[in-house]
Amino acid sequence: MAKHRKPHPAPVVTVWARRQLVAWLAGASALSATLLSLTVSPAAPPAPDRAPAGHSVPDPQAAPPR
């Protein structure tokens, strides 16, 4: 049977390169998500009980007295 050897730690350059790659991928992902959210229109119209974007809902008025 083969003896188990203690693994050697990764070189510092490899760790740095991995961190750079992860940082670059995270930034690219955030940028692409932002661009997609700005260019893609939603598939469904807003719910009927909600006001369209940019408009406020008028305050409910009290019922007239009897």
Side-chain angles (χ1 to χ4, degrees), residues 51 55-63:
H55 300 312
S56 61
V57 177
D59 293 330
Q61 297 183 2

Side-chain angles (χ1 to χ4, degrees), residues 16-54:
W16 177 83
R18 286 180 188 165
R19 287 183 181 164
Q20 290 294 317
L21 177 63
V22 168
W24 188 87
L25 288 174
S29 175
L31 179 63
S32 63
T34 302
L35 293 175
L36 278 173
S37 69
L38 293 174
T39 58
V40 176
S41 58
D49 61 340
R50 297 183 183 225

